[in-house]
Amino acid sequence: MKSQTATDQISPWLLGLRDAMPLLGGYIPVAISFGLISIQAGFSTFEAIIISTLIYAGASQFLFVGMIAAGSPLWLVVILSLLINARHLVYAPNLAPWIGSNRWWPWLMHGLTDQIFALAHTRLPELADEQRLGWFTSASLTAWFSWVGGTAIGAVAGETITAQWPLLGEVMAFALPALFLVLIVPRFTSREWYISLIVTIAVALLLTVYGLNNAAIPMAALCGALCFYLARVGVISGDNTDG
Amino acid sequence: MDNALWLALLVTAAGTFLMRLFPLLWMKRHLERHDDKDALEAIPNWLGILAPLMVAAMLGVSLVPKTIDLSAWIATAIGVVATVLAWRKTQSLGLPVFAGVAIYGLASLALSL
């Protein structure tokens, strides 16, 4: 991202809105799909919107409506929906040094999705203390509203949209990998990071191709972390003089 | 939805929120125990390493096309190269994403003809 002087010249609210714009390309098509699937699973438009507003976590929402439609026991639905979100446990601690004591911060954690974390982890350190709350509020609300709005559109008109512009959803969805790429490219700074990032991306990609979407993120990150430590102690690089 | 379903929804929503909130409160307390100027050093090492790797994992997951076939992979590869080139040129956030989506869209269209 641009230097701190660029972030100084623009209101943090506007900057948050601008930074969150690429997320919309990924959020809206997925939210439209969720709205459509919810209606097909027997939920009303209002219920689909409430699920997106309150749970606000893509994968677990799809699981939630899918398992309920399949008649699964509710306790199992709740446990599995929460398990999918367990990866969120590591997000907030990484942002904590840049989060102040304002009483709104805890409530804003509702908006700490995968993508907002990725964005905030890069942007918050670049901002001045007094800019961070405004930036995070703006970016997270933009993403949240787009998710809820996309769900509403999908519930009301999802079938018509997907039938009329089948390619649009796929093309817009590329905004998400493009955004993650831009966030991760500056991290390729050393041998350890090269090895661990490439392994992580490859493992996540392979697990997803083989249908293990929900396990992909935590499993791939753990594999990458293992490679990072192995590379650091020289086992992979051959620096280990004992070997 | 009946009452039991509403309850399941509320428990899932509350649980998801608490999973996002509690680690923050834990870390804030952890940081308070350390000097403020050592805040970055106070983050456990593994946590600082895991965070970029989680983003890399999200990248890996999101790279998989909705319809898996050769032309979709080629379009994805072209989109990735375009995004990286645009990032190297601008070092910014928005423009490379826009360029990546535009080139990916054009490549998808060309390959589907």
Side-chain angles (χ1 to χ4, degrees), chain B residues 63-74:
Chain B
L63 278 174
V64 179
K66 213 170 170 182
T67 318
I68 298 177
D69 57 30
L70 185 63
S71 60
W73 283 117
I74 294 171

Side-chain angles (χ1 to χ4, degrees), chain A residues 47 56 68 91 99 110, chain B residues 1 5 16 19-20 28 58:
Chain A
E47 289 162 352
Y56 187 36
I68 285 173
Y91 293 165
I99 288 179
H110 179 58
Chain B
M1 290 202 299
L5 259 181
T16 303
M19 274 197 283
R20 289 165 172 164
K28 293 294 272 182
M58 291 176 216

Side-chain angles (χ1 to χ4, degrees), chain A residues 1-2 47 56 68 82 85 88-89 91 93-94 98-99 109-110 112 114 177 184-185 200 204 225 228-229, chain B residues 1 5 16 19-20 23 27-28 40 43 47 49 51-54 57-59 61-62 79 87 90-91 104 109:
Chain A
M1 270 183 246
K2 284 278 185 197
E47 289 162 352
Y56 187 36
I68 285 173
L82 289 176
N85 292 332
H88 291 174
L89 288 167
Y91 293 165
N94 273 288
W98 299 283
I99 288 179
M109 290 303 105
H110 179 58
L112 189 61
D114 298 324
I184 214 67
V185 166
T200 304
F228 185 92
Y229 283 110
Chain B
M1 290 202 299
L5 259 181
T16 303
M19 274 197 283
R20 289 165 172 164
M27 193 62 190
K28 293 294 272 182
L40 277 176
I43 296 182
L47 210 51
I49 290 165
L53 295 177
M54 295 289 266
M58 291 176 216
L59 169 63
V61 169
S62 64
W87 178 83
T90 64
Q91 303 272 308
Y104 172 80
L109 207 62

